[in-house]
Amino acid sequence: MTLWEGRLGGTADEVMAFTASLAYDRRLAADDLAGSRAHVRGLQRAGVLESGESAVLLTALNRVEEELASGIFVFQAGDEDIHTAVERRVTELAGDVGAKLHTGRSRNDQIATDLRLYTRRELLAVGAAIIELQDTLLHRAVEAGDAYLPGYTHLQRAQPVLLTHHLLAHGWALARDLDRVLHSVVRMDVSPLGAGALAGSSLALDPDGVAEDLGFGSRFENSLDAVSDRDFVAESLFDLALLGVHLSRLGEEFVLWSSEEFGFVVLDDAYATGSSMLPQKKNPDVAELARAKAGRLIGHVAGILATLKGLPLAYNRDLQEDKEPLFDAFDQIKRALPAVMGMLGTAHFDTDRMRSAADGPAAAAVDLAEWLVERGMPFRQAHAVVGSLVRDSVQRGVPLSELVQANPHLGTDALGLLEPGVAVTRRTSPGGAGPKPVAVQMERFRHRLDLDRQRVSHSAAAAHVMGSADDVARSEA
Ligand code: ARG
């Protein structure tokens, strides 16, 4: 049986095989049921359903929910998608009244509603997981104390930085990810239910009441836009892709740092993998896959934009292709975040290795130049003085300290700058990598994290997403 048997004859099997979405959209079942309940209550308020009828429908919807939850729901060959399956079963359970469920509604506004409910909840769960990862970063940052390592540009040693500073750099990127997620949630908080197939209805529907019932901040303004808008999918995919890119960059550093060449980090056994052939290997597969998943997430962004770009208003079946990339992106990110968090939380930082790499003779080159600046020399000239000392030292194999001492501009007074551990303490400007500004930064980060934790809980509460942000994260795990 199809939903359009009044108009068309049977559908070919291969058409069904090609067009059906049930295999993946069944994960929207809970949201579909929520949408249907709100719709039924709206129809009753509109006087389209009598209270007895809506009670029968709501009971049937509850029964469907139980059947789905306990795994006894039987999907049938004609169930093209989750909407069809639910409506079919409601009709079996509720008899004639079941035929009234879809009054004034189309699968077009229905799917748009389901997917917004789902996406809003999932994004908030991702938000809660981001917070946990940031918390781990903060923990490790606190623990790092006065450890320092070389900071790099072009992957060449540049200036020493506190390990705390380096870890928090990733934390701030995640703070932007979280901010983006929360803003996307606000933008997508609009109910499309009541837009019908594309133009609304002749029946006295109550889209405002339905929106409120579903915990949306508002209802659509334009029915054509309501059923064709997938900005929220594209935006979410971008949010997840950029988050993926940040995890990828962190992953890449762990790949480098765990190599024998760097030796800055030793991964916990539980977060490393071995080799099937080489007995000595300990591989950073979590970090590598964190790096790789970004490619796939970026692909999803490109894919959805390409799908959307040529679509005339309003609904087109092309829009069904929004779901698999979106679901996949959530699945990947929700597995990546705890894995990366575990890797980071359990890793052993070899701070001796970091320190000896950072204490290379040229680490304080810019400090020598700035020392000259403080004594009145223009920076460009100071840069040239120190640059030629470094060049001499490299070419003639003479220790830089000897050349500094012998230099008339520098001399013994400047030698202290070359002492191990001194350079990093001289990064005193706000937001800089030395102990003073980093202590300030850490407090600001902690404060921001507290605020963001509250923002996630508030958004979840506003969206009628049950429980605290932590519960959300757990239920989505
Ligand atoms: N499975 C469809 C989708 O995901 C639901 C909407 C179908 N609408 C239609 N007119 N065929 O987009």
Side-chain angles (χ1 to χ4, degrees), residues 338-421:
V340 169
M341 188 172 109
M343 174 187 76
L344 193 75
T346 57
H348 167 75
F349 293 118
D350 189 336
T351 51
D352 291 338
R353 282 282 297 220
M354 290 180 175
R355 192 181 316 115
S356 54
D359 281 338
V366 77
D367 296 293
L368 291 169
E370 286 176 1
W371 190 87
L372 291 171
V373 166
E374 274 165 2
R375 280 150 192 80
M377 190 182 283
F379 178 72
R380 200 39 67 208
Q381 200 183 324
H383 185 288
V385 168
V386 179
S388 64
L389 292 184
V390 172
R391 195 227 295 264
D392 255 23
S393 160
V394 171
Q395 284 181 349
R396 297 173 26 219
V398 184
L400 186 64
S401 53
E402 269 179 37
L403 299 176
V404 166
Q405 194 166 15
N407 186 279
H409 301 291
L410 292 160
T412 317
D413 286 355
L415 268 185
L417 295 175
L418 299 182
E419 292 295 317

Side-chain angles (χ1 to χ4, degrees), residues 159-212:
Q159 284 181 282
V161 298
L162 284 187
L163 177 56
T164 304
H165 193 59
H166 192 112
L167 293 171
L168 288 181
H170 291 293
W172 290 108
L174 291 170
R176 291 190 297 278
D177 290 324
L178 178 65
D179 193 56
R180 249 186 302 278
V181 158
L182 292 176
H183 280 287
S184 296
V185 165
V186 169
R187 254 191 303 282
M188 76 180 58
D189 195 21
V190 178
S191 171
L193 200 55
L198 75 166
S201 169
S202 66
L203 302 167
L205 301 179
D206 175 22
D208 286 296
V210 168
E212 203 188 319

Side-chain angles (χ1 to χ4, degrees), residues 98-429:
K100 296 193 173 187
L101 174 62
H102 211 53
T103 313
R105 184 177 72 170
S106 160
R107 284 183 299 159
N108 300 351
D109 57 346
Q110 192 176 359
I111 184 61
T113 306
D114 294 3
L115 201 58
R116 277 178 194 256
L117 289 171
Y118 168 86
T119 307
R120 187 176 63 171
R121 187 178 58 251
E122 291 286 302
L123 273 185
L124 288 171
V126 168
I130 291 174
I131 298 260
E132 289 192 39
L133 177 55
Q134 287 180 295
D135 213 38
T136 302
L137 276 166
L138 177 61
H139 237 81
R140 300 306 319 250
V142 172
E143 255 173 42
D146 53 11
Y148 58 93
L149 73 161
Y152 295 82
T153 65
H154 315 268
L155 200 55
Q156 309 290 317
R157 288 177 193 168
Q159 284 181 282
V161 298
L162 284 187
L163 177 56
T164 304
H165 193 59
H166 192 112
L167 293 171
L168 288 181
H170 291 293
W172 290 108
L174 291 170
R176 291 190 297 278
D177 290 324
L178 178 65
D179 193 56
R180 249 186 302 278
V181 158
L182 292 176
H183 280 287
S184 296
V185 165
V186 169
R187 254 191 303 282
M188 76 180 58
D189 195 21
V190 178
S191 171
L193 200 55
L198 75 166
S201 169
S202 66
L203 302 167
L205 301 179
D206 175 22
D208 286 296
V210 168
E212 203 188 319
D213 192 341
L214 288 171
F216 281 113
S218 63
R219 62 140 167 98
F220 64 95
E221 298 288 348
N222 178 307
S223 61
L224 290 171
D225 184 41
V227 292
S228 49
D229 173 17
R230 292 295 183 276
D231 291 3
F232 68 100
V233 176
E235 220 179 294
S236 301
L237 284 172
F238 174 76
D239 294 349
L240 297 175
L242 191 48
L243 168 58
V245 165
H246 291 148
L247 297 181
S248 170
R249 296 179 75 170
L250 182 73
E252 166 63 1
E253 288 190 338
F254 268 68
V255 171
L256 288 173
W257 287 11
S258 63
S259 68
E260 246 172 281
E261 284 69 13
F262 273 80
F264 290 177
V265 75
V266 179
L267 298 176
D268 188 86
D269 283 2
Y271 290 88
T273 47
S275 157
S276 58
M277 179 175 169
L278 309 175
Q280 84 283 14
K281 290 303 294 291
K282 182 170 180 183
N283 295 327
D285 291 28
V286 170
E288 291 172 293
L289 281 169
R291 192 173 59 185
K293 296 293 182 187
R296 167 173 182 162
L297 295 168
I298 292 165
H300 290 332
V301 179
I304 187 71
L305 292 175
T307 301
L308 295 176
K309 72 173 258 301
L311 295 186
L313 296 177
Y315 180 84
N316 300 271
R317 191 62 179 270
D318 311 51
L319 293 176
Q320 180 169 292
E321 286 292 302
D322 59 359
K323 278 170 274 307
E324 283 174 293
L326 185 68
F327 296 165
D328 181 63
F330 279 124
D331 290 346
Q332 299 307 326
I333 280 290
K334 282 164 58 189
R335 280 178 217 140
L337 284 167
V340 169
M341 188 172 109
M343 174 187 76
L344 193 75
T346 57
H348 167 75
F349 293 118
D350 189 336
T351 51
D352 291 338
R353 282 282 297 220
M354 290 180 175
R355 192 181 316 115
S356 54
D359 281 338
V366 77
D367 296 293
L368 291 169
E370 286 176 1
W371 190 87
L372 291 171
V373 166
E374 274 165 2
R375 280 150 192 80
M377 190 182 283
F379 178 72
R380 200 39 67 208
Q381 200 183 324
H383 185 288
V385 168
V386 179
S388 64
L389 292 184
V390 172
R391 195 227 295 264
D392 255 23
S393 160
V394 171
Q395 284 181 349
R396 297 173 26 219
V398 184
L400 186 64
S401 53
E402 269 179 37
L403 299 176
V404 166
Q405 194 166 15
N407 186 279
H409 301 291
L410 292 160
T412 317
D413 286 355
L415 268 185
L417 295 175
L418 299 182
E419 292 295 317
V422 169
V424 74
T425 64
R426 295 183 50 91
R427 303 281 83 74
T428 49
S429 58

Side-chain angles (χ1 to χ4, degrees), residues 419-450:
E419 292 295 317
V422 169
V424 74
T425 64
R426 295 183 50 91
R427 303 281 83 74
T428 49
S429 58
K436 280 202 183 111
V438 166
V440 175
Q441 180 196 164
M442 190 134 75
E443 278 325 296
R444 290 166 90 119
F445 186 81
R446 201 192 297 279
H447 181 63
R448 167 72 182 264
L449 192 55
D450 286 343

